[in-house]
Amino acid sequence: MADTRPGATARIIRWIDYRLPFVQFLNHELNEYPTPRNLSYWWNFGSLSGIMLVVMIVTGIMLATQYTPSADLAFDSVERIMRDVNYGWLLRYLHMNGGSMFFAIVYIHLFRGLYYGSYKTPRELLWIIGVIILLLLVATAFMGYVLPWGQMSYWAATVITNLFSAIPVIGPGIVTFLWGGFTVGDPTLHRFYALHYLLPFVIVAIVLLHLVALHRHGSNNPLGIDQKGPQDTIPFHPYYTIKDLFGLTVFLLIYAFFVFYAPNFLGEPDNYIPANPMQTPNHIVPEWYLLPYYAILRSITFPILFISSKLAGVILAFSSIFILFFLPWLDTSPVRSARFRPIYKRVFWLLVIDVIALGWVGANPPEGIVVTVGQIATLYYFIHMLILFPLIGKLERPLPLPSSISAAVQSGGARLSGAGAPLAKP
Amino acid sequence: MAPERRWRSPEMLKHVFAAMALSTVLLAPVLVRAADEIPLPRQEWSFEGVFGTYDLASLQRGFQVYKEVCSVCHPVKHLYFRNLAEIGYNEDEVKAIAAGYQVTDGPNDEGQMYQRPGRPSDPVPGPFPNDQAARAANNGALPPDQSLIVKARPGGPNYVYAILTGYKEAPEGFKMLEGMNYNEFFAGHQIAMPPPLSDNSVTFADGTPATVPQMAHDVTSFLTWAAEPNLDDRHRIGFKVIMFLIVAAGVFYAAKRKIWAPIH
């Protein structure tokens, strides 16, 4: 029987905390953690992506215990998981659709940051760490897609690794090095599997850095103004734990719908055909979440000065993410939230439309109008980043900012008495 | 009542628009691809929808069509005889079906491979020992594995049904290659497979008339099961999960409203 004397648990916790302030740390970062009182549901997507990372790692490890990373056996071993492993179909569909859900959440999280200026001082490093996480996610997802060794796995691996051959002089050598041979084959699959297993843990480490950076100055908020005192914040628990929990449940409903009723909707039928190096599929398309990059890659159909069209496409596709690293300095406006930026507030949606257009271009064979739309959308993406961001910041006249979060909540939001008072935990 | 009011604000509408836009990104590749293909005739399938389940009688008839017609050329590589218990055959029937096949086993103590009757634990043997033999016997064409065909083709069961029933006379002036057949729904309209079904190709034990549409429907159902044997479980568990989540979402929303009441 456990010791039930009053205070026993408290004494043990005190003993541990004196030596290793673990409980104290959890209490400080997850319980008392002062959070702006006005966060909207768009702020749910940070914790949601953290939860998805855990879901992917757990289902992934379970799949790894049954999967065989060899060119001869990989496809059949996935089918064994689907058919003969207890609830193997559930694990695999959770993992497969989980990738799509993860990217959907991360993209919403990213666009939320863009709309509310979450990358601006003092959160530049927080944003940069986030972009690093995005790059690692793309790499991990790509390598994971290769593992079932279906037709689309094989040909996606071939197309993407071949991009490196565009690098002058050393390119072809790099490709052979990546493949571990002279074509995508068994050694490629083995190393992709090893890296697909490794990278998520690297992502966990970087997510922890993301959280350390976040908790340094706390969350941004829809008003984009700093916390000015305890009247502006509420403790994370119970206010945001319950709000995040409700958001999580709604998200799980969407996730469950795909897993149980449309598990292959987001996938490619071709990937249920075993990899065949002798037969190229009619259209090689990546998963939906990589389509915009793919569109940029293909939209450069002409050489630029001395750079071949292929190399230029590769450089631009990578730049489309790398450019985000510089966003804190490209955006010259001192105001964070688009709510108080009359011009940016509208121009923001052009970027959303542009990225959707790029996704559409990436999904279609590059013929006729598709190429033109792709070129315009690519051009616009870089104009938006390199010209509009600096220019709007300079030209725009921002609306007056509220004096504080609590003042704004009192006048614009609910007008209950005491809404501005510091809140004790209920 | 703060939440209601926020729904009407222009900002919230924009947020809704954003969510719709992002879901468009999700759907775009599929929508676009569907447009450049001949629309497939839609069939009624018992396994469609939230409560969809396999019709075991249809699966058994479909297995008979596969066994007596398709299996002459097409393997079902991922199926084992034991799996047939899932479509309603009892243990003895599964044993009898398996014993009707000869499978290669070995090597025995003399180092020789030998033939023996099949057992429920054996995979269903294909018609050819390897792909080269299959091509040699089929004018150079490789009859694809059927156990995943429904998941490996856009349109799924509707596509497989359409191919089976889509044979026609080639239109005037359409150039056919030697040994090919005209099929409305096959990409390029020239398919190496001759029309596999004709009325009364098989005789169903339950007295169902063996018309071409009936056989195509049954064998497509069987192949859907072969590709996705856990669909019944998936639909049943999914319904419970979603019901649970709806209730949980309601409870959490109420809790959230109550906890936040002093702040709103």
Side-chain angles (χ1 to χ4, degrees), chain A residues 283-307:
Chain A
H283 305 303
I284 303 175
V285 280
E287 292 276 82
W288 69 266
Y289 43 80
L290 302 179
L291 288 173
Y293 314 116
Y294 191 55
I296 294 176
L297 179 77
R298 291 191 310 185
S299 67
I300 309 302
T301 50
F302 43 86
I304 301 176
L305 300 175
F306 54 90
I307 304 170

PDB file of all heavy atoms in Angstrom, chain A residues 283-307:
ATOM      1  N   HIS A 283       2.110  10.013 -64.822  1.00  0.00           N
ATOM      2  CA  HIS A 283       2.362  11.265 -64.111  1.00  0.00           C
ATOM      3  C   HIS A 283       3.050  10.921 -62.810  1.00  0.00           C
ATOM      4  O   HIS A 283       2.502  10.176 -62.012  1.00  0.00           O
ATOM      5  CB  HIS A 283       1.063  11.999 -63.771  1.00  0.00           C
ATOM      6  CG  HIS A 283       0.202  12.245 -64.964  1.00  0.00           C
ATOM      7  ND1 HIS A 283       0.669  12.933 -66.059  1.00  0.00           N
ATOM      8  CD2 HIS A 283      -1.076  11.900 -65.241  1.00  0.00           C
ATOM      9  CE1 HIS A 283      -0.302  12.994 -66.949  1.00  0.00           C
ATOM     10  NE2 HIS A 283      -1.358  12.368 -66.482  1.00  0.00           N
ATOM     11  N   ILE A 284       4.237  11.478 -62.601  1.00  0.00           N
ATOM     12  CA  ILE A 284       4.877  11.324 -61.306  1.00  0.00           C
ATOM     13  C   ILE A 284       4.518  12.546 -60.493  1.00  0.00           C
ATOM     14  O   ILE A 284       4.868  13.665 -60.863  1.00  0.00           O
ATOM     15  CB  ILE A 284       6.402  11.180 -61.442  1.00  0.00           C
ATOM     16  CG1 ILE A 284       6.713   9.981 -62.347  1.00  0.00           C
ATOM     17  CG2 ILE A 284       7.056  11.001 -60.080  1.00  0.00           C
ATOM     18  CD1 ILE A 284       8.179   9.808 -62.642  1.00  0.00           C
ATOM     19  N   VAL A 285       3.748  12.364 -59.429  1.00  0.00           N
ATOM     20  CA  VAL A 285       3.368  13.503 -58.580  1.00  0.00           C
ATOM     21  C   VAL A 285       3.748  13.196 -57.140  1.00  0.00           C
ATOM     22  O   VAL A 285       3.616  12.076 -56.683  1.00  0.00           O
ATOM     23  CB  VAL A 285       1.851  13.809 -58.639  1.00  0.00           C
ATOM     24  CG1 VAL A 285       1.516  14.588 -59.870  1.00  0.00           C
ATOM     25  CG2 VAL A 285       1.032  12.545 -58.542  1.00  0.00           C
ATOM     26  N   PRO A 286       4.231  14.223 -56.426  1.00  0.00           N
ATOM     27  CA  PRO A 286       4.502  14.012 -55.012  1.00  0.00           C
ATOM     28  C   PRO A 286       3.205  14.072 -54.218  1.00  0.00           C
ATOM     29  O   PRO A 286       2.137  14.324 -54.776  1.00  0.00           O
ATOM     30  CB  PRO A 286       5.418  15.185 -54.654  1.00  0.00           C
ATOM     31  CG  PRO A 286       5.091  16.255 -55.631  1.00  0.00           C
ATOM     32  CD  PRO A 286       4.566  15.579 -56.858  1.00  0.00           C
ATOM     33  N   GLU A 287       3.291  13.842 -52.921  1.00  0.00           N
ATOM     34  CA  GLU A 287       2.136  13.996 -52.050  1.00  0.00           C
ATOM     35  C   GLU A 287       1.676  15.460 -52.097  1.00  0.00           C
ATOM     36  O   GLU A 287       2.463  16.355 -52.395  1.00  0.00           O
ATOM     37  CB  GLU A 287       2.517  13.614 -50.616  1.00  0.00           C
ATOM     38  CG  GLU A 287       2.821  12.141 -50.450  1.00  0.00           C
ATOM     39  CD  GLU A 287       1.569  11.309 -50.243  1.00  0.00           C
ATOM     40  OE1 GLU A 287       0.910  10.970 -51.246  1.00  0.00           O
ATOM     41  OE2 GLU A 287       1.252  10.987 -49.097  1.00  0.00           O
ATOM     42  N   TRP A 288       0.405  15.704 -51.761  1.00  0.00           N
ATOM     43  CA  TRP A 288      -0.176  17.045 -51.941  1.00  0.00           C
ATOM     44  C   TRP A 288       0.638  18.119 -51.246  1.00  0.00           C
ATOM     45  O   TRP A 288       0.758  19.240 -51.747  1.00  0.00           O
ATOM     46  CB  TRP A 288      -1.633  17.071 -51.464  1.00  0.00           C
ATOM     47  CG  TRP A 288      -1.788  16.924 -49.976  1.00  0.00           C
ATOM     48  CD1 TRP A 288      -1.999  15.753 -49.308  1.00  0.00           C
ATOM     49  CD2 TRP A 288      -1.706  17.951 -48.987  1.00  0.00           C
ATOM     50  NE1 TRP A 288      -2.056  15.995 -47.959  1.00  0.00           N
ATOM     51  CE2 TRP A 288      -1.888  17.333 -47.726  1.00  0.00           C
ATOM     52  CE3 TRP A 288      -1.522  19.329 -49.031  1.00  0.00           C
ATOM     53  CZ2 TRP A 288      -1.865  18.040 -46.539  1.00  0.00           C
ATOM     54  CZ3 TRP A 288      -1.497  20.039 -47.841  1.00  0.00           C
ATOM     55  CH2 TRP A 288      -1.675  19.391 -46.604  1.00  0.00           C
ATOM     56  N   TYR A 289       1.225  17.767 -50.089  1.00  0.00           N
ATOM     57  CA  TYR A 289       1.878  18.816 -49.301  1.00  0.00           C
ATOM     58  C   TYR A 289       3.203  19.260 -49.901  1.00  0.00           C
ATOM     59  O   TYR A 289       3.804  20.221 -49.434  1.00  0.00           O
ATOM     60  CB  TYR A 289       2.064  18.371 -47.844  1.00  0.00           C
ATOM     61  CG  TYR A 289       2.551  16.952 -47.654  1.00  0.00           C
ATOM     62  CD1 TYR A 289       3.884  16.619 -47.802  1.00  0.00           C
ATOM     63  CD2 TYR A 289       1.653  15.942 -47.317  1.00  0.00           C
ATOM     64  CE1 TYR A 289       4.314  15.315 -47.621  1.00  0.00           C
ATOM     65  CE2 TYR A 289       2.076  14.639 -47.139  1.00  0.00           C
ATOM     66  CZ  TYR A 289       3.410  14.336 -47.290  1.00  0.00           C
ATOM     67  OH  TYR A 289       3.833  13.045 -47.120  1.00  0.00           O
ATOM     68  N   LEU A 290       3.683  18.564 -50.920  1.00  0.00           N
ATOM     69  CA  LEU A 290       4.916  18.996 -51.578  1.00  0.00           C
ATOM     70  C   LEU A 290       4.648  19.590 -52.962  1.00  0.00           C
ATOM     71  O   LEU A 290       5.584  20.012 -53.651  1.00  0.00           O
ATOM     72  CB  LEU A 290       5.896  17.819 -51.700  1.00  0.00           C
ATOM     73  CG  LEU A 290       6.291  17.147 -50.375  1.00  0.00           C
ATOM     74  CD1 LEU A 290       7.244  15.991 -50.622  1.00  0.00           C
ATOM     75  CD2 LEU A 290       6.944  18.154 -49.436  1.00  0.00           C
ATOM     76  N   LEU A 291       3.362  19.624 -53.370  1.00  0.00           N
ATOM     77  CA  LEU A 291       3.037  20.071 -54.727  1.00  0.00           C
ATOM     78  C   LEU A 291       3.504  21.497 -55.043  1.00  0.00           C
ATOM     79  O   LEU A 291       4.031  21.731 -56.125  1.00  0.00           O
ATOM     80  CB  LEU A 291       1.525  19.944 -54.980  1.00  0.00           C
ATOM     81  CG  LEU A 291       1.009  18.515 -55.134  1.00  0.00           C
ATOM     82  CD1 LEU A 291      -0.511  18.507 -55.198  1.00  0.00           C
ATOM     83  CD2 LEU A 291       1.590  17.851 -56.381  1.00  0.00           C
ATOM     84  N   PRO A 292       3.361  22.471 -54.119  1.00  0.00           N
ATOM     85  CA  PRO A 292       3.805  23.838 -54.472  1.00  0.00           C
ATOM     86  C   PRO A 292       5.299  23.905 -54.802  1.00  0.00           C
ATOM     87  O   PRO A 292       5.694  24.576 -55.759  1.00  0.00           O
ATOM     88  CB  PRO A 292       3.474  24.662 -53.225  1.00  0.00           C
ATOM     89  CG  PRO A 292       2.367  23.916 -52.559  1.00  0.00           C
ATOM     90  CD  PRO A 292       2.650  22.459 -52.827  1.00  0.00           C
ATOM     91  N   TYR A 293       6.121  23.177 -54.033  1.00  0.00           N
ATOM     92  CA  TYR A 293       7.567  23.196 -54.319  1.00  0.00           C
ATOM     93  C   TYR A 293       7.840  22.554 -55.683  1.00  0.00           C
ATOM     94  O   TYR A 293       8.686  22.995 -56.449  1.00  0.00           O
ATOM     95  CB  TYR A 293       8.358  22.431 -53.247  1.00  0.00           C
ATOM     96  CG  TYR A 293       7.955  22.760 -51.838  1.00  0.00           C
ATOM     97  CD1 TYR A 293       7.391  21.802 -51.018  1.00  0.00           C
ATOM     98  CD2 TYR A 293       8.132  24.044 -51.338  1.00  0.00           C
ATOM     99  CE1 TYR A 293       7.004  22.098 -49.725  1.00  0.00           C
ATOM    100  CE2 TYR A 293       7.745  24.356 -50.049  1.00  0.00           C
ATOM    101  CZ  TYR A 293       7.179  23.382 -49.245  1.00  0.00           C
ATOM    102  OH  TYR A 293       6.793  23.697 -47.982  1.00  0.00           O
ATOM    103  N   TYR A 294       7.097  21.469 -55.939  1.00  0.00           N
ATOM    104  CA  TYR A 294       7.248  20.744 -57.192  1.00  0.00           C
ATOM    105  C   TYR A 294       6.888  21.657 -58.375  1.00  0.00           C
ATOM    106  O   TYR A 294       7.546  21.645 -59.415  1.00  0.00           O
ATOM    107  CB  TYR A 294       6.347  19.518 -57.149  1.00  0.00           C
ATOM    108  CG  TYR A 294       6.554  18.503 -58.236  1.00  0.00           C
ATOM    109  CD1 TYR A 294       7.804  17.940 -58.466  1.00  0.00           C
ATOM    110  CD2 TYR A 294       5.480  18.074 -59.025  1.00  0.00           C
ATOM    111  CE1 TYR A 294       7.981  16.987 -59.451  1.00  0.00           C
ATOM    112  CE2 TYR A 294       5.653  17.120 -60.015  1.00  0.00           C
ATOM    113  CZ  TYR A 294       6.895  16.586 -60.223  1.00  0.00           C
ATOM    114  OH  TYR A 294       7.066  15.632 -61.198  1.00  0.00           O
ATOM    115  N   ALA A 295       5.830  22.463 -58.173  1.00  0.00           N
ATOM    116  CA  ALA A 295       5.399  23.393 -59.227  1.00  0.00           C
ATOM    117  C   ALA A 295       6.489  24.421 -59.509  1.00  0.00           C
ATOM    118  O   ALA A 295       6.788  24.726 -60.674  1.00  0.00           O
ATOM    119  CB  ALA A 295       4.104  24.093 -58.811  1.00  0.00           C
ATOM    120  N   ILE A 296       7.112  24.958 -58.453  1.00  0.00           N
ATOM    121  CA  ILE A 296       8.177  25.946 -58.644  1.00  0.00           C
ATOM    122  C   ILE A 296       9.346  25.295 -59.387  1.00  0.00           C
ATOM    123  O   ILE A 296       9.898  25.862 -60.337  1.00  0.00           O
ATOM    124  CB  ILE A 296       8.645  26.504 -57.280  1.00  0.00           C
ATOM    125  CG1 ILE A 296       7.512  27.304 -56.634  1.00  0.00           C
ATOM    126  CG2 ILE A 296       9.903  27.354 -57.427  1.00  0.00           C
ATOM    127  CD1 ILE A 296       7.819  27.828 -55.250  1.00  0.00           C
ATOM    128  N   LEU A 297       9.657  24.085 -58.969  1.00  0.00           N
ATOM    129  CA  LEU A 297      10.753  23.336 -59.587  1.00  0.00           C
ATOM    130  C   LEU A 297      10.575  23.202 -61.093  1.00  0.00           C
ATOM    131  O   LEU A 297      11.508  23.387 -61.875  1.00  0.00           O
ATOM    132  CB  LEU A 297      10.781  21.943 -58.941  1.00  0.00           C
ATOM    133  CG  LEU A 297      11.815  20.954 -59.414  1.00  0.00           C
ATOM    134  CD1 LEU A 297      13.145  21.324 -58.795  1.00  0.00           C
ATOM    135  CD2 LEU A 297      11.426  19.551 -58.977  1.00  0.00           C
ATOM    136  N   ARG A 298       9.345  22.911 -61.508  1.00  0.00           N
ATOM    137  CA  ARG A 298       9.105  22.652 -62.927  1.00  0.00           C
ATOM    138  C   ARG A 298       8.825  23.908 -63.732  1.00  0.00           C
ATOM    139  O   ARG A 298       8.783  23.851 -64.966  1.00  0.00           O
ATOM    140  CB  ARG A 298       7.905  21.707 -63.091  1.00  0.00           C
ATOM    141  CG  ARG A 298       8.179  20.313 -62.608  1.00  0.00           C
ATOM    142  CD  ARG A 298       7.078  19.394 -63.028  1.00  0.00           C
ATOM    143  NE  ARG A 298       5.752  19.923 -62.683  1.00  0.00           N
ATOM    144  CZ  ARG A 298       4.624  19.267 -62.854  1.00  0.00           C
ATOM    145  NH1 ARG A 298       4.641  18.070 -63.364  1.00  0.00           N
ATOM    146  NH2 ARG A 298       3.470  19.808 -62.521  1.00  0.00           N
ATOM    147  N   SER A 299       8.599  25.036 -63.036  1.00  0.00           N
ATOM    148  CA  SER A 299       8.133  26.203 -63.786  1.00  0.00           C
ATOM    149  C   SER A 299       9.272  26.899 -64.526  1.00  0.00           C
ATOM    150  O   SER A 299       9.018  27.724 -65.404  1.00  0.00           O
ATOM    151  CB  SER A 299       7.417  27.180 -62.850  1.00  0.00           C
ATOM    152  OG  SER A 299       8.347  27.715 -61.944  1.00  0.00           O
ATOM    153  N   ILE A 300      10.516  26.604 -64.172  1.00  0.00           N
ATOM    154  CA  ILE A 300      11.620  27.245 -64.899  1.00  0.00           C
ATOM    155  C   ILE A 300      11.944  26.378 -66.109  1.00  0.00           C
ATOM    156  O   ILE A 300      12.635  25.368 -66.010  1.00  0.00           O
ATOM    157  CB  ILE A 300      12.863  27.399 -63.990  1.00  0.00           C
ATOM    158  CG1 ILE A 300      12.473  28.061 -62.670  1.00  0.00           C
ATOM    159  CG2 ILE A 300      13.938  28.213 -64.701  1.00  0.00           C
ATOM    160  CD1 ILE A 300      11.820  29.417 -62.799  1.00  0.00           C
ATOM    161  N   THR A 301      11.421  26.814 -67.268  1.00  0.00           N
ATOM    162  CA  THR A 301      11.572  25.999 -68.478  1.00  0.00           C
ATOM    163  C   THR A 301      12.641  26.558 -69.409  1.00  0.00           C
ATOM    164  O   THR A 301      12.789  26.123 -70.533  1.00  0.00           O
ATOM    165  CB  THR A 301      10.234  25.944 -69.244  1.00  0.00           C
ATOM    166  OG1 THR A 301       9.772  27.288 -69.382  1.00  0.00           O
ATOM    167  CG2 THR A 301       9.210  25.130 -68.484  1.00  0.00           C
ATOM    168  N   PHE A 302      13.360  27.588 -68.915  1.00  0.00           N
ATOM    169  CA  PHE A 302      14.343  28.252 -69.778  1.00  0.00           C
ATOM    170  C   PHE A 302      15.591  28.505 -68.940  1.00  0.00           C
ATOM    171  O   PHE A 302      15.504  28.691 -67.723  1.00  0.00           O
ATOM    172  CB  PHE A 302      13.781  29.599 -70.260  1.00  0.00           C
ATOM    173  CG  PHE A 302      13.096  30.344 -69.157  1.00  0.00           C
ATOM    174  CD1 PHE A 302      13.831  31.165 -68.299  1.00  0.00           C
ATOM    175  CD2 PHE A 302      11.732  30.188 -68.928  1.00  0.00           C
ATOM    176  CE1 PHE A 302      13.201  31.833 -67.258  1.00  0.00           C
ATOM    177  CE2 PHE A 302      11.109  30.860 -67.881  1.00  0.00           C
ATOM    178  CZ  PHE A 302      11.855  31.671 -67.049  1.00  0.00           C
ATOM    179  N   PRO A 303      16.776  28.483 -69.557  1.00  0.00           N
ATOM    180  CA  PRO A 303      17.981  28.773 -68.781  1.00  0.00           C
ATOM    181  C   PRO A 303      18.025  30.245 -68.365  1.00  0.00           C
ATOM    182  O   PRO A 303      17.557  31.120 -69.087  1.00  0.00           O
ATOM    183  CB  PRO A 303      19.120  28.440 -69.745  1.00  0.00           C
ATOM    184  CG  PRO A 303      18.512  28.406 -71.091  1.00  0.00           C
ATOM    185  CD  PRO A 303      17.048  28.169 -70.951  1.00  0.00           C
ATOM    186  N   ILE A 304      18.520  30.516 -67.167  1.00  0.00           N
ATOM    187  CA  ILE A 304      18.674  31.898 -66.707  1.00  0.00           C
ATOM    188  C   ILE A 304      20.164  32.221 -66.736  1.00  0.00           C
ATOM    189  O   ILE A 304      20.941  31.618 -65.987  1.00  0.00           O
ATOM    190  CB  ILE A 304      18.105  32.085 -65.287  1.00  0.00           C
ATOM    191  CG1 ILE A 304      16.614  31.713 -65.270  1.00  0.00           C
ATOM    192  CG2 ILE A 304      18.328  33.506 -64.803  1.00  0.00           C
ATOM    193  CD1 ILE A 304      15.973  31.759 -63.912  1.00  0.00           C
ATOM    194  N   LEU A 305      20.554  33.130 -67.644  1.00  0.00           N
ATOM    195  CA  LEU A 305      21.975  33.446 -67.882  1.00  0.00           C
ATOM    196  C   LEU A 305      22.744  32.159 -68.133  1.00  0.00           C
ATOM    197  O   LEU A 305      22.431  31.418 -69.053  1.00  0.00           O
ATOM    198  CB  LEU A 305      22.556  34.240 -66.718  1.00  0.00           C
ATOM    199  CG  LEU A 305      21.858  35.586 -66.434  1.00  0.00           C
ATOM    200  CD1 LEU A 305      22.414  36.241 -65.179  1.00  0.00           C
ATOM    201  CD2 LEU A 305      21.976  36.514 -67.634  1.00  0.00           C
ATOM    202  N   PHE A 306      23.704  31.842 -67.270  1.00  0.00           N
ATOM    203  CA  PHE A 306      24.500  30.631 -67.497  1.00  0.00           C
ATOM    204  C   PHE A 306      23.979  29.449 -66.678  1.00  0.00           C
ATOM    205  O   PHE A 306      24.563  28.374 -66.686  1.00  0.00           O
ATOM    206  CB  PHE A 306      25.968  30.908 -67.154  1.00  0.00           C
ATOM    207  CG  PHE A 306      26.140  31.459 -65.765  1.00  0.00           C
ATOM    208  CD1 PHE A 306      26.325  30.602 -64.694  1.00  0.00           C
ATOM    209  CD2 PHE A 306      26.100  32.841 -65.539  1.00  0.00           C
ATOM    210  CE1 PHE A 306      26.464  31.102 -63.420  1.00  0.00           C
ATOM    211  CE2 PHE A 306      26.224  33.339 -64.261  1.00  0.00           C
ATOM    212  CZ  PHE A 306      26.412  32.474 -63.192  1.00  0.00           C
ATOM    213  N   ILE A 307      22.876  29.641 -65.962  1.00  0.00           N
ATOM    214  CA  ILE A 307      22.334  28.558 -65.129  1.00  0.00           C
ATOM    215  C   ILE A 307      21.321  27.758 -65.944  1.00  0.00           C
ATOM    216  O   ILE A 307      20.396  28.340 -66.533  1.00  0.00           O
ATOM    217  CB  ILE A 307      21.659  29.135 -63.869  1.00  0.00           C
ATOM    218  CG1 ILE A 307      22.649  29.996 -63.097  1.00  0.00           C
ATOM    219  CG2 ILE A 307      21.127  28.012 -62.973  1.00  0.00           C
ATOM    220  CD1 ILE A 307      22.009  30.782 -61.978  1.00  0.00           C
TER     221      ILE A 307
END
